[in-house]
Amino acid sequence: MAMLAGYRPSIALIGSVKQAIGTISKGRLFHMTSIHSIWKHGLRIRRKDKGFQLQCIARQSMATSIESNVALALNDQNKPNKASDNYLRDKRIVPDADPPSSKDVDLLFQFFDQSQKLMVLTGAGISTESGIPDYRSPNGAYSTGFKPITHQVFVRSSHARRRYWARSYAGWRRFTAAQPSASHCALASLEKVGRINFMVTQNVDRLHHRAGSDPLELHGSVYSVVCLECSASICRNSFQEQVKALNPKWASAIENLESGNPGSDKSFGMQQRPDGDIEIDEKFWEENFDIPNCQRCGGLLKPDVVFFGDNVPKDRAVKAMEAAKDCDAFLVLGSSLMTMSAFRLVRAAYEANAAIAIVNIGETRADDFVPLKINARCGEILSRLLEMGSIAVPSMH
C-alpha cells in the first residue's frame, strides 16, 4: 500500500485499537471513549475469519497509512512471548525494580510524542527480560566474578578458544530457546508506525529481528561465524553441525545433559553465562574437543561479534554516529552505557542538542547529563506506553 507522506499514527491510537481488538476477542463491550478514539481517525474493526480486519471509512489517502501501519503494529504485539525453556524464564536474571509510576509513563509518552527523528539504543537490559543473562546488572555475571574472553586472548590461545567454543556450543540450544520480550515487541510496533526513526542495539542475540525489527547490530551477532584470515562467513547453525561431526560423543552428552543432576558428569556442572556462553568443568573440554577451521582457507573461526578489547567495524560505527548526530531525540533502553561504543553515541546526540532519556535499572555512565532517567524494567513501561489513550474495559459476566 502507498503511505501518506508525513503521517504517523499516535501512540494513543495504537493503544486504542489494541484495546478494542482485545475487547472483541474476549467478548467484552467497548467503552465509548475507546471507540471514539478509533472512529475519529475514520477506522472501524470487523471480524474476519478467525481474526480481525482494520478498515478505514474516512479519506482514502489517510486510510492506506493508518490501516496498514496500525495493523502491522498490532500483529507484532500479539505474537507469542513465552520461552520454551524453564531456565530462561528464571526471574532472578532480571534485576529487581519497582513498577514504573504514572508520572514515569507520562514523561516517556511526552518524550516520544515530541520527537520527530527518534533514535533508540538498546542494551542487555532488554534481553534479560527474555531470560538471557547480562554482565553489569546487580544479578549479572560480573557479580559472580566472571570475566568474559577478550579478543586478544581468543586469537593467541588455542586453549582459550577451545574453552570458549565448548561452552558456547553447549549453551546454544538454551540460548536460542529465548523468545522476544515485551520490550522487543513494543519496539517493533513503534518502529512500524514511524515512531522510531533509527534503532541500534548492543545485543548480539537477534531477538529484535525475531520481533520484527531490523536494528543496526553495533556489536555483531552470534548467529554468524567469521574467519579471521579470509573473512568468510557461515551461519552459526552450520558451525554447530561441524562441531557435532568432529565431536560426536561429546555432542551426544551435551544433547542429553537435561537428564543429569546439576554438577554431575552428565550435566557438566553447567551454568548459563551471557551471550549463550555456559560454564563447564574444565575436564570436559580440555581434552578431545576439536574446533572446526575455515573450510575455505583453514583459518581460525570466531563468532562475528565484537569481543572485549576489539573495535566496532568502522563502517558500522560511522553509520551509528551519523544517526546520533542527526536525531532530535535519543532513548537508551536497558544499557548502562559502560562501553565506549555506546556512550559516545549518547554524548554525540547530547552535544547535537537532542533530547535524551534513559530507561535502565541501576546507574549508567550518562546519568550526570541526562535530564530524564527512569529506573524501571523496559518491558513494563513500554507496554504501558502503548496503552496510553485507551481505557480498561471490565469483564462481562
Side-chain angles (χ1 to χ4, degrees), residues 348-368:
Y350 174 77
E351 292 175 350
N353 296 317
I356 312 290
I358 297 175
V359 178
N360 187 64
I361 301 175
E363 297 181 358
T364 82
R365 195 174 185 175
D367 285 353
D368 61 340

Side-chain angles (χ1 to χ4, degrees), residues 4-256:
L4 179 62
Y7 177 79
R8 299 184 305 162
S10 68
I11 296 172
L13 173 59
I14 300 169
S16 292
V17 178
K18 180 172 178 279
Q19 179 74 52
I21 288 182
T23 299
I24 298 173
S25 301
K26 297 172 184 176
R28 300 175 182 173
L29 299 177
F30 282 118
H31 189 286
M32 199 60 200
T33 304
S34 294
I35 202 152
H36 175 70
S37 178
I38 299 167
W39 280 358
K40 74 179 181 179
H41 286 88
L43 295 173
R44 68 181 178 189
I45 299 171
R46 293 182 56 197
R47 288 186 177 275
K48 184 178 181 181
D49 299 327
K50 295 181 179 180
F52 303 93
Q53 181 182 41
L54 191 65
Q55 292 187 327
C56 187
I57 54 178
R59 299 186 308 275
Q60 184 58 36
S61 58
M62 187 175 288
T64 54
S65 182
I66 301 177
E67 183 178 339
S68 58
N69 278 323
V70 177
L72 281 171
L74 292 167
N75 181 57
D76 278 336
Q77 279 294 301
N78 294 328
K79 286 181 178 179
N81 189 35
K82 293 183 178 179
S84 58
D85 192 298
N86 288 333
Y87 182 90
L88 293 173
R89 293 197 299 267
D90 189 343
K91 296 302 182 183
R92 290 174 297 175
I93 292 173
V94 184
D96 293 330
D98 292 331
S101 66
S102 296
K103 180 181 178 181
D104 289 336
V105 179
D106 287 341
L107 287 172
L108 190 60
F109 177 91
Q110 294 171 24
F111 182 82
F112 266 88
D113 208 43
Q114 293 169 6
S115 69
Q116 298 296 318
K117 297 181 68 175
L118 173 64
M119 180 172 175
V120 173
L121 169 71
T122 68
I126 292 283
S127 293
T128 55
E129 297 172 10
S130 294
I132 296 177
D134 67 351
Y135 287 113
R136 292 185 172 88
S137 75
N139 298 339
Y142 285 165
S143 66
T144 64
F146 173 75
K147 293 183 179 180
I149 192 169
T150 66
H151 177 80
Q152 292 77 12
V153 170
F154 184 92
V155 171
R156 70 169 180 255
S157 171
S158 60
H159 180 268
R161 286 195 299 277
R162 291 169 68 192
R163 177 176 180 267
Y164 173 86
W165 279 125
R167 298 192 308 172
S168 188
Y169 174 84
W172 185 244
R173 181 171 60 181
R174 290 191 170 191
F175 181 80
T176 56
Q179 298 295 315
S181 68
S183 297
H184 296 106
C185 294
L187 288 171
S189 296
L190 291 165
E191 192 176 29
K192 280 186 170 63
V193 297
R195 302 305 309 187
I196 297 173
N197 186 60
F198 189 86
M199 183 157 60
V200 58
T201 184
Q202 297 173 259
N203 301 333
V204 299
D205 49 42
R206 287 277 165 93
L207 288 174
H208 279 301
H209 294 77
R210 290 168 63 184
S213 296
D214 187 22
L216 175 68
E217 295 174 303
L218 194 63
H219 296 156
S221 169
V222 292
Y223 280 82
S224 295
V225 177
V226 66
C227 175
L228 294 178
E229 301 296 327
C230 70
S231 299
S233 178
I234 62 172
C235 72
R236 179 59 184 269
N237 288 331
S238 294
F239 178 84
Q240 292 287 113
E241 290 301 317
Q242 291 179 29
V243 172
K244 182 177 181 178
L246 287 175
N247 306 277
K249 293 182 179 180
W250 199 88
S252 178
I254 290 293
E255 291 171 0
N256 291 306

